[in-house]
Short mmCIF file of all heavy atoms in Angstrom, two decimals:
data_model
loop_
_atom_site.label_atom_id
_atom_site.label_comp_id
_atom_site.label_asym_id
_atom_site.label_seq_id
_atom_site.Cartn_x
_atom_site.Cartn_y
_atom_site.Cartn_z
N ARG A 1 -6.38 -4.10 -32.02
CA ARG A 1 -7.73 -3.82 -31.54
C ARG A 1 -7.80 -2.56 -30.68
O ARG A 1 -8.80 -1.84 -30.74
CB ARG A 1 -8.27 -5.00 -30.72
CG ARG A 1 -8.35 -6.31 -31.49
CD ARG A 1 -9.08 -7.39 -30.69
NE ARG A 1 -8.39 -7.72 -29.45
CZ ARG A 1 -8.92 -7.59 -28.24
NH1 ARG A 1 -10.15 -7.13 -28.09
NH2 ARG A 1 -8.22 -7.93 -27.16
N PHE A 2 -6.76 -2.30 -29.90
CA PHE A 2 -6.74 -1.15 -29.00
C PHE A 2 -5.76 -0.10 -29.51
O PHE A 2 -4.73 -0.44 -30.11
CB PHE A 2 -6.30 -1.55 -27.59
CG PHE A 2 -7.28 -2.41 -26.83
CD1 PHE A 2 -8.40 -2.96 -27.43
CD2 PHE A 2 -7.06 -2.65 -25.48
CE1 PHE A 2 -9.29 -3.75 -26.72
CE2 PHE A 2 -7.95 -3.44 -24.75
CZ PHE A 2 -9.06 -3.99 -25.37
N THR A 3 -6.06 1.16 -29.24
CA THR A 3 -5.17 2.26 -29.60
C THR A 3 -5.06 3.23 -28.43
O THR A 3 -6.08 3.70 -27.91
CB THR A 3 -5.68 3.01 -30.84
OG1 THR A 3 -5.82 2.11 -31.94
CG2 THR A 3 -4.71 4.12 -31.22
N ILE A 4 -3.83 3.53 -28.03
CA ILE A 4 -3.61 4.52 -26.98
C ILE A 4 -3.21 5.84 -27.63
O ILE A 4 -2.48 5.87 -28.62
CB ILE A 4 -2.53 4.05 -25.98
CG1 ILE A 4 -2.46 5.00 -24.78
CG2 ILE A 4 -1.17 3.89 -26.64
CD1 ILE A 4 -1.60 4.47 -23.63
N SER A 5 -3.72 6.93 -27.09
CA SER A 5 -3.39 8.25 -27.59
C SER A 5 -3.44 9.24 -26.43
O SER A 5 -3.89 8.90 -25.34
CB SER A 5 -4.34 8.68 -28.71
OG SER A 5 -5.68 8.73 -28.24
N ARG A 6 -2.97 10.45 -26.68
CA ARG A 6 -3.00 11.44 -25.60
C ARG A 6 -3.17 12.84 -26.15
O ARG A 6 -2.86 13.11 -27.31
CB ARG A 6 -1.73 11.37 -24.73
CG ARG A 6 -0.50 12.10 -25.32
CD ARG A 6 0.34 11.15 -26.14
NE ARG A 6 1.60 11.74 -26.55
CZ ARG A 6 1.83 12.26 -27.74
NH1 ARG A 6 0.87 12.27 -28.68
NH2 ARG A 6 3.02 12.78 -28.04
N ASP A 7 -3.66 13.72 -25.30
CA ASP A 7 -3.77 15.14 -25.58
C ASP A 7 -2.82 15.81 -24.59
O ASP A 7 -3.16 15.98 -23.42
CB ASP A 7 -5.20 15.62 -25.39
CG ASP A 7 -5.37 17.08 -25.74
OD1 ASP A 7 -4.39 17.85 -25.70
OD2 ASP A 7 -6.51 17.48 -26.06
N ASN A 8 -1.64 16.18 -25.06
CA ASN A 8 -0.63 16.73 -24.17
C ASN A 8 -1.07 18.04 -23.52
O ASN A 8 -0.74 18.31 -22.36
CB ASN A 8 0.68 16.96 -24.94
CG ASN A 8 1.39 15.67 -25.29
OD1 ASN A 8 1.22 14.65 -24.62
ND2 ASN A 8 2.20 15.71 -26.32
N ALA A 9 -1.81 18.85 -24.25
CA ALA A 9 -2.24 20.14 -23.72
C ALA A 9 -3.18 19.97 -22.53
O ALA A 9 -3.24 20.84 -21.65
CB ALA A 9 -2.92 20.96 -24.81
N LYS A 10 -3.92 18.87 -22.49
CA LYS A 10 -4.89 18.63 -21.43
C LYS A 10 -4.44 17.55 -20.45
O LYS A 10 -5.20 17.18 -19.55
CB LYS A 10 -6.24 18.25 -22.02
CG LYS A 10 -6.87 19.34 -22.87
CD LYS A 10 -8.21 18.91 -23.42
CE LYS A 10 -8.85 20.01 -24.24
NZ LYS A 10 -10.17 19.60 -24.80
N ASN A 11 -3.21 17.04 -20.61
CA ASN A 11 -2.69 15.97 -19.76
C ASN A 11 -3.68 14.81 -19.66
O ASN A 11 -3.96 14.30 -18.57
CB ASN A 11 -2.34 16.50 -18.37
CG ASN A 11 -1.12 17.40 -18.38
OD1 ASN A 11 -0.25 17.27 -19.23
ND2 ASN A 11 -1.05 18.31 -17.42
N THR A 12 -4.20 14.40 -20.80
CA THR A 12 -5.20 13.36 -20.86
C THR A 12 -4.75 12.23 -21.78
O THR A 12 -4.19 12.48 -22.85
CB THR A 12 -6.54 13.92 -21.37
OG1 THR A 12 -6.99 14.95 -20.48
CG2 THR A 12 -7.60 12.84 -21.44
N VAL A 13 -4.99 11.00 -21.36
CA VAL A 13 -4.68 9.82 -22.16
C VAL A 13 -5.97 9.06 -22.43
O VAL A 13 -6.88 9.03 -21.60
CB VAL A 13 -3.63 8.92 -21.46
CG1 VAL A 13 -4.17 8.36 -20.15
CG2 VAL A 13 -3.17 7.81 -22.39
N PHE A 14 -6.05 8.46 -23.62
CA PHE A 14 -7.23 7.74 -24.05
C PHE A 14 -6.86 6.30 -24.41
O PHE A 14 -5.73 6.01 -24.79
CB PHE A 14 -7.87 8.40 -25.27
CG PHE A 14 -8.17 9.85 -25.09
CD1 PHE A 14 -7.27 10.82 -25.51
CD2 PHE A 14 -9.36 10.27 -24.52
CE1 PHE A 14 -7.53 12.17 -25.35
CE2 PHE A 14 -9.64 11.61 -24.36
CZ PHE A 14 -8.74 12.56 -24.77
N LEU A 15 -7.83 5.43 -24.32
CA LEU A 15 -7.68 4.06 -24.81
C LEU A 15 -8.92 3.72 -25.61
O LEU A 15 -10.00 3.54 -25.05
CB LEU A 15 -7.50 3.06 -23.66
CG LEU A 15 -7.21 1.63 -24.09
CD1 LEU A 15 -5.83 1.54 -24.76
CD2 LEU A 15 -7.28 0.66 -22.91
N GLN A 16 -8.77 3.65 -26.93
CA GLN A 16 -9.85 3.24 -27.81
C GLN A 16 -9.81 1.73 -27.92
O GLN A 16 -8.81 1.16 -28.36
CB GLN A 16 -9.70 3.88 -29.19
CG GLN A 16 -10.77 3.48 -30.19
CD GLN A 16 -12.14 3.97 -29.81
OE1 GLN A 16 -12.31 5.13 -29.44
NE2 GLN A 16 -13.15 3.10 -29.88
N MET A 17 -10.90 1.07 -27.54
CA MET A 17 -10.97 -0.38 -27.53
C MET A 17 -12.03 -0.83 -28.52
O MET A 17 -13.21 -0.55 -28.35
CB MET A 17 -11.30 -0.89 -26.12
CG MET A 17 -10.32 -0.41 -25.05
SD MET A 17 -10.66 -1.12 -23.42
CE MET A 17 -12.23 -0.35 -23.06
N ASN A 18 -11.59 -1.54 -29.55
CA ASN A 18 -12.48 -2.06 -30.57
C ASN A 18 -12.47 -3.58 -30.57
O ASN A 18 -11.56 -4.20 -30.02
CB ASN A 18 -12.06 -1.55 -31.96
CG ASN A 18 -12.12 -0.05 -32.09
OD1 ASN A 18 -12.99 0.61 -31.51
ND2 ASN A 18 -11.20 0.52 -32.88
N SER A 19 -13.46 -4.17 -31.20
CA SER A 19 -13.56 -5.63 -31.31
C SER A 19 -13.39 -6.29 -29.95
O SER A 19 -12.64 -7.26 -29.79
CB SER A 19 -12.52 -6.16 -32.30
OG SER A 19 -12.70 -5.58 -33.58
N LEU A 20 -14.10 -5.79 -28.97
CA LEU A 20 -13.94 -6.27 -27.60
C LEU A 20 -14.38 -7.72 -27.45
O LEU A 20 -15.34 -8.17 -28.08
CB LEU A 20 -14.72 -5.38 -26.64
CG LEU A 20 -14.03 -4.04 -26.34
CD1 LEU A 20 -15.03 -3.04 -25.77
CD2 LEU A 20 -12.87 -4.24 -25.37
N LYS A 21 -13.65 -8.43 -26.60
CA LYS A 21 -13.89 -9.83 -26.32
C LYS A 21 -14.21 -10.01 -24.84
O LYS A 21 -13.81 -9.19 -24.02
CB LYS A 21 -12.65 -10.66 -26.66
CG LYS A 21 -12.14 -10.51 -28.08
CD LYS A 21 -10.83 -11.26 -28.28
CE LYS A 21 -10.31 -11.11 -29.68
NZ LYS A 21 -9.02 -11.83 -29.87
N PRO A 22 -14.90 -11.09 -24.48
CA PRO A 22 -15.19 -11.32 -23.07
C PRO A 22 -13.92 -11.34 -22.20
O PRO A 22 -13.97 -10.90 -21.05
CB PRO A 22 -15.88 -12.69 -23.08
CG PRO A 22 -16.57 -12.74 -24.40
CD PRO A 22 -15.62 -12.06 -25.34
N GLU A 23 -12.81 -11.82 -22.74
CA GLU A 23 -11.57 -11.87 -21.97
C GLU A 23 -10.96 -10.49 -21.73
O GLU A 23 -9.98 -10.37 -20.99
CB GLU A 23 -10.54 -12.79 -22.63
CG GLU A 23 -10.28 -12.49 -24.10
CD GLU A 23 -11.06 -13.41 -25.02
OE1 GLU A 23 -12.27 -13.63 -24.76
OE2 GLU A 23 -10.47 -13.92 -26.00
N ASP A 24 -11.51 -9.45 -22.34
CA ASP A 24 -11.08 -8.08 -22.05
C ASP A 24 -11.72 -7.55 -20.77
O ASP A 24 -11.36 -6.46 -20.31
CB ASP A 24 -11.42 -7.14 -23.21
CG ASP A 24 -10.65 -7.46 -24.48
OD1 ASP A 24 -9.43 -7.74 -24.38
OD2 ASP A 24 -11.25 -7.42 -25.57
N THR A 25 -12.67 -8.28 -20.22
CA THR A 25 -13.34 -7.85 -19.00
C THR A 25 -12.34 -7.72 -17.86
O THR A 25 -11.61 -8.67 -17.54
CB THR A 25 -14.44 -8.85 -18.62
OG1 THR A 25 -15.45 -8.86 -19.63
CG2 THR A 25 -15.08 -8.47 -17.29
N ALA A 26 -12.29 -6.55 -17.24
CA ALA A 26 -11.32 -6.27 -16.19
C ALA A 26 -11.56 -4.87 -15.64
O ALA A 26 -12.33 -4.09 -16.21
CB ALA A 26 -9.89 -6.37 -16.72
N VAL A 27 -10.88 -4.56 -14.55
CA VAL A 27 -10.79 -3.18 -14.10
C VAL A 27 -9.58 -2.57 -14.77
O VAL A 27 -8.48 -3.12 -14.71
CB VAL A 27 -10.66 -3.08 -12.57
CG1 VAL A 27 -10.49 -1.62 -12.14
CG2 VAL A 27 -11.88 -3.69 -11.89
N TYR A 28 -9.78 -1.44 -15.43
CA TYR A 28 -8.72 -0.77 -16.15
C TYR A 28 -8.21 0.42 -15.34
O TYR A 28 -8.99 1.25 -14.87
CB TYR A 28 -9.21 -0.30 -17.52
CG TYR A 28 -9.34 -1.43 -18.52
CD1 TYR A 28 -10.33 -2.40 -18.37
CD2 TYR A 28 -8.45 -1.55 -19.59
CE1 TYR A 28 -10.43 -3.46 -19.27
CE2 TYR A 28 -8.56 -2.60 -20.49
CZ TYR A 28 -9.54 -3.55 -20.32
OH TYR A 28 -9.64 -4.59 -21.22
N TYR A 29 -6.88 0.51 -15.20
CA TYR A 29 -6.24 1.53 -14.39
C TYR A 29 -5.35 2.42 -15.24
O TYR A 29 -4.52 1.94 -16.01
CB TYR A 29 -5.38 0.91 -13.29
CG TYR A 29 -6.15 0.11 -12.27
CD1 TYR A 29 -6.34 -1.26 -12.44
CD2 TYR A 29 -6.68 0.71 -11.14
CE1 TYR A 29 -7.04 -2.00 -11.50
CE2 TYR A 29 -7.38 -0.02 -10.21
CZ TYR A 29 -7.55 -1.38 -10.39
OH TYR A 29 -8.24 -2.12 -9.45
N CYS A 30 -5.50 3.71 -15.08
CA CYS A 30 -4.62 4.68 -15.70
C CYS A 30 -3.36 4.84 -14.85
O CYS A 30 -3.40 4.76 -13.62
CB CYS A 30 -5.36 6.02 -15.82
SG CYS A 30 -4.41 7.35 -16.56
N TYR A 31 -2.23 5.08 -15.51
CA TYR A 31 -0.94 5.21 -14.84
C TYR A 31 -0.15 6.34 -15.49
O TYR A 31 -0.18 6.49 -16.71
CB TYR A 31 -0.17 3.89 -14.96
CG TYR A 31 1.27 3.92 -14.55
CD1 TYR A 31 1.65 3.72 -13.22
CD2 TYR A 31 2.28 4.12 -15.49
CE1 TYR A 31 2.97 3.72 -12.84
CE2 TYR A 31 3.62 4.12 -15.12
CZ TYR A 31 3.96 3.91 -13.79
OH TYR A 31 5.28 3.91 -13.43
N ILE A 32 0.56 7.11 -14.67
CA ILE A 32 1.36 8.21 -15.20
C ILE A 32 2.71 8.27 -14.52
O ILE A 32 2.83 8.05 -13.31
CB ILE A 32 0.62 9.57 -15.04
CG1 ILE A 32 1.44 10.71 -15.63
CG2 ILE A 32 0.28 9.84 -13.57
CD1 ILE A 32 0.70 12.05 -15.65
N GLU A 33 3.74 8.52 -15.30
CA GLU A 33 5.08 8.82 -14.82
C GLU A 33 5.35 10.27 -15.18
O GLU A 33 5.27 10.64 -16.35
CB GLU A 33 6.13 7.93 -15.49
CG GLU A 33 5.89 6.45 -15.29
CD GLU A 33 6.81 5.59 -16.15
OE1 GLU A 33 7.73 6.15 -16.80
OE2 GLU A 33 6.62 4.36 -16.18
N ALA A 34 5.65 11.09 -14.18
CA ALA A 34 5.75 12.52 -14.43
C ALA A 34 6.75 13.18 -13.51
O ALA A 34 7.03 12.70 -12.40
CB ALA A 34 4.39 13.19 -14.27
N TRP A 35 7.31 14.30 -13.99
CA TRP A 35 8.07 15.19 -13.14
C TRP A 35 7.08 16.16 -12.51
O TRP A 35 6.32 16.83 -13.21
CB TRP A 35 9.13 15.94 -13.94
CG TRP A 35 10.31 15.10 -14.32
CD1 TRP A 35 11.44 14.89 -13.60
CD2 TRP A 35 10.47 14.36 -15.54
NE1 TRP A 35 12.31 14.06 -14.28
CE2 TRP A 35 11.74 13.73 -15.47
CE3 TRP A 35 9.68 14.17 -16.67
CZ2 TRP A 35 12.22 12.92 -16.50
CZ3 TRP A 35 10.16 13.37 -17.69
CH2 TRP A 35 11.41 12.75 -17.60
N VAL A 36 7.13 16.24 -11.20
CA VAL A 36 6.19 17.06 -10.45
C VAL A 36 6.94 18.19 -9.78
O VAL A 36 8.04 17.99 -9.26
CB VAL A 36 5.45 16.22 -9.40
CG1 VAL A 36 4.50 17.08 -8.59
CG2 VAL A 36 4.70 15.08 -10.08
N ALA A 37 6.35 19.36 -9.78
CA ALA A 37 6.96 20.52 -9.16
C ALA A 37 7.30 20.25 -7.70
O ALA A 37 6.46 19.77 -6.93
CB ALA A 37 6.03 21.73 -9.26
N GLY A 38 8.55 20.51 -7.33
CA GLY A 38 8.99 20.35 -5.96
C GLY A 38 9.49 18.96 -5.59
O GLY A 38 9.92 18.75 -4.46
N ILE A 39 9.46 18.01 -6.52
CA ILE A 39 9.91 16.65 -6.26
C ILE A 39 11.04 16.29 -7.21
O ILE A 39 10.92 16.47 -8.42
CB ILE A 39 8.76 15.63 -6.41
CG1 ILE A 39 7.66 15.94 -5.40
CG2 ILE A 39 9.27 14.21 -6.21
CD1 ILE A 39 6.46 15.04 -5.52
N LEU A 40 12.13 15.76 -6.65
CA LEU A 40 13.28 15.37 -7.44
C LEU A 40 13.02 14.03 -8.10
O LEU A 40 12.59 13.07 -7.44
CB LEU A 40 14.53 15.30 -6.57
CG LEU A 40 15.86 15.05 -7.28
CD1 LEU A 40 16.20 16.21 -8.19
CD2 LEU A 40 16.97 14.86 -6.24
N GLY A 41 13.29 13.94 -9.40
CA GLY A 41 13.05 12.71 -10.13
C GLY A 41 11.59 12.54 -10.52
O GLY A 41 10.74 13.39 -10.22
#
């Protein structure tokens, strides 16, 4: 039902949600793991 995708050039992630159900009701949070300039790891 759901598909995750991203645009690497724009550092953007998408979540296409189809056939939604009442139990999908929630707060949705984006999360990223990244190497950041000036930070080790």
Side-chain angles (χ1 to χ4, degrees):
R1 300 189 298 120
F2 291 10
T3 302
I4 188 170
S5 61
R6 81 268 188 261
D7 183 336
N8 288 335
K10 297 181 179 180
N11 289 333
T12 300
V13 63
F14 306 94
L15 185 67
Q16 179 66 47
M17 304 184 293
N18 299 325
S19 301
L20 283 161
K21 305 174 181 179
E23 52 262 44
D24 294 318
T25 296
V27 177
Y28 284 70
Y29 296 92
C30 180
Y31 169 86
I32 182 173
E33 302 171 7
W35 285 272
V36 178
I39 299 177
L40 186 64

